[in-house]
Each structure stands twice: as structure tokens, then as C-alpha cells.
């Protein structure tokens, strides 16, 4: 497959730098691989929302939001384990909002069992794009705890586009939206996740620096323009670059 691509393709478009790194690692010619962040209508919200002044609420708590699926590869089981083992002094200051369908009864039960431990637990049985604005209004920090090379999760873009800071694992492309070491933890590392939660609760995240380093989400117009620029280049110019 790698040889076939190298011999017959003029250009390989990768939806994040993480994907490009993997492609090159497995043998694709670096000169043929270019990162092209996907466009989304969700990016329009970035221009109409403003970053919040602080993560913590007046009572010293903050709401951590997970949007997506109750799946192991998406990191939901890891997240449950991390929250179940979160030290009490941290847990009592953490609100958790999970917008995920209850397809897995065992995971759903474990989620609801967290209620007495946390400052607040809210579970929404899935969500639609029409619900995003109202849902994100309840969230202070979005969490994307993926355990595999998730290219660039759409849910990360949805949260990021509404100026919700992202706490992400270091796997896949989600971390590239914020480019913030202070909001990144090693995938599957519960202690590292706890350390990030503690840092947030201790006002250890500089939001001005966070948004200064963040990547603006790609609009559809920008994405189409970039695609046309790629497609208009001569094939040999691409392979020689």
C-alpha cells in the first residue's frame, strides 16, 4: 500500500500534523504529505464567541465536559477510572457534564455512581448539532481523552470553536487546536490527568497564553481555498517540494 501511494499519488492530504507524522513514519514520502485541516461550519462560532475571563466559577468549581461516545477507544472508560480515583479534595470541586448515549449500561451505571463524589454530575443521553450552543454554555473545559491516533476529533473542533478550552490526551490531532502543554496529558495516564485537573483548580492555566497559542478553527471557505491551491499545483512541483 505504501509503495502504491508513493508511486502513484502526487499528494497525500493529512487532516492534522499527527496524521502526517504517522504517514511519514510508515513510509510515505514526506515531500508528498501535507497537513490540511478540515473545514467545518462549526468554525463560524469562533468569530461570534469570546473566551471567558476565567475557568473557575465563583464557588471555586469548574465544569468538565465530555461529548461523544461511551467507548473505550475514545477514552471514556479511562475517564471514568480517572474520575473514580480522583482525590476527594479535587472531586468535590469538579462538575462533570457527559453528553453521551447510554448504549453501554455498565458504563452508564458507573457514570451515575460518580454523582455523590463530584460537585455535580449531568448526563445527557447524546446530543445533536442543534444542541451545541446550549450544551457548551454549561461547560468550562472540554475533555478529549482519546487512547488512539484519532485524526482530529470533530467534537474537539465543536468545543474549540465556541472558545471552550480543551484538556486533551497527547494522542491524535486534538492537541493541535490549543497547542498548550498545560492542557495536555499522556494518553491513558491517570496520574497525569489528575495533575492537570489539580492545576486547573489551582488557577495554573493562563487563559491569555492559551488562546494566544491556539489555532483558529478552519472555516469551509478557507479549507476550499487551500484545497484548490493544492489541486492547482503541478504534480511534479508537489513531489519535489
Amino acid at each position: 500500500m505504501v509503495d502504491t501511494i508513493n508511486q502513484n499519488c502526487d499528494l497525500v492530504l493529512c487532516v492534522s500534523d499527527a496524521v502526517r507524522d504517522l504517514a511519514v513514519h510508515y513510509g510515505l514520502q514526506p515531500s508528498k504529505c501535507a497537513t490540511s485541516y478540515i473545514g467545518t461550519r462549526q468554525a463560524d462560532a469562533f468569530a461570534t464567541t469570546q473566551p471567558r475571563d476565567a475557568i473557575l466559577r465563583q464557588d471555586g468549581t469548574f465544569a468538565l465536559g465530555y461529548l461523544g461516545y461511551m467507548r473505550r477507544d475514545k477514552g471514556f472508560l479511562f475517564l471514568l477510572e480517572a474520575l473514580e480515583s480522583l482525590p476527594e479534595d479535587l472531586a468535590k470541586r469538579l462538575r462533570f457534564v457527559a453528553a453521551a448515549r447510554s448504549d453501554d449500561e455498565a458504563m452508564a451505571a458507573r457514570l451515575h455512581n460518580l454523582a455523590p463524589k463530584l460537585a455535580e454530575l449531568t448526563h445527557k443521553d447524546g446530543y445533536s448539532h442543534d444542541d451545541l450552543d446550549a450544551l457548551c454554555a454549561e461547560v468550562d473545559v472540554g475533555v478529549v481523552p482519546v487512547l488512539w491516533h484519532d485524526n482530529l476529533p470533530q467534537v474537539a473542533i465543536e468545543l474549540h470553536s465556541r472558545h471552550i478550552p480543551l484538556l486533551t490526551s497527547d494522542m491524535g490531532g486534538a492537541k493541535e487546536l490549543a497547542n498548550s502543554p498545560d492542557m495536555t496529558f499522556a494518553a491513558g495516564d491517570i496520574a497525569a490527568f489528575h495533575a492537570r485537573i489539580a492545576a486547573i483548580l489551582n488557577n495554573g492555566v493562563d487563559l491569555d497564553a492559551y488562546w494566544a497559542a491556539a489555532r483558529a478553527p478552519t472555516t469551509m471557505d478557507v479549507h476550499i481555498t487551500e484545497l484548490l491551491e493544492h489541486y492547482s499545483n503541478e504534480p511534479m512541483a508537489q513531489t519535489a517540494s
Side-chain angles (χ1 to χ4, degrees):
M1 177 70 83
V2 169
D3 290 342
T4 299
I5 293 174
N6 283 336
Q7 292 168 15
N8 296 283
C9 294
D10 299 310
L11 181 64
V12 177
L13 291 179
C14 309
V15 299
S16 64
D17 287 338
V19 173
R20 185 183 185 280
D21 291 343
L22 276 180
V24 172
H25 171 77
Y26 282 110
L28 296 188
Q29 293 179 14
S31 61
K32 292 189 175 186
C33 297
T35 299
S36 178
Y37 291 95
I38 63 172
T40 170
R41 67 185 179 92
Q42 299 298 325
D44 296 338
F46 200 73
T48 59
T49 59
Q50 293 294 324
R52 302 173 190 180
D53 294 332
I55 292 177
L56 297 186
R57 302 183 181 189
Q58 290 186 343
D59 62 0
T61 68
F62 79 94
L64 185 70
Y66 176 91
L67 281 62
Y69 299 95
M70 290 189 182
R71 281 178 19 198
R72 180 185 295 270
D73 60 318
K74 293 294 187 180
F76 190 77
L77 180 58
F78 160 80
L79 190 56
L80 286 179
E81 293 173 349
L83 293 176
E84 288 167 347
S85 59
L86 191 65
E88 182 178 358
D89 60 324
L90 302 180
K92 288 300 183 184
R93 296 176 60 198
L94 181 66
R95 304 172 185 270
F96 185 47
V97 178
R101 289 184 60 84
S102 304
D103 294 329
D104 188 314
E105 293 184 3
M107 282 196 187
R110 287 179 65 176
L111 170 63
H112 288 276
N113 286 340
L114 285 169
K117 180 182 181 71
L118 303 174
E120 184 180 30
L121 174 68
T122 301
H123 177 215
K124 301 178 184 295
D125 192 11
Y127 71 99
S128 69
H129 284 166
D130 293 338
D131 302 329
L132 277 171
D133 289 333
L135 180 57
C136 288
E138 301 179 30
V139 174
D140 301 309
V141 173
V143 61
V144 186
V146 294
L147 299 177
W148 69 294
H149 294 287
D150 205 340
N151 300 333
L152 182 55
Q154 181 70 24
V155 65
I157 298 174
E158 292 168 349
L159 290 160
H160 181 70
S161 293
R162 289 163 175 79
H163 283 101
I164 305 297
L166 295 176
L167 177 62
T168 71
S169 77
D170 59 359
M171 295 287 282
K175 64 183 182 297
E176 296 170 29
L177 295 174
N179 297 304
S180 173
D182 290 340
M183 293 288 277
T184 306
F185 59 92
D189 188 329
I190 288 178
F193 175 83
H194 287 176
R196 293 297 89 219
I197 294 295
I200 294 171
L201 287 170
N202 290 322
N203 285 311
V205 177
D206 184 336
L207 281 183
D208 290 336
Y210 176 95
W211 289 114
R215 171 184 294 278
T218 304
T219 65
M220 288 303 302
D221 287 344
V222 169
H223 183 52
I224 290 170
T225 299
E226 291 179 351
L227 287 179
L228 291 175
E229 289 175 352
H230 283 302
Y231 295 155
S232 64
N233 288 337
E234 291 294 328
M236 290 307 295
Q238 283 292 343
T239 56
S241 63

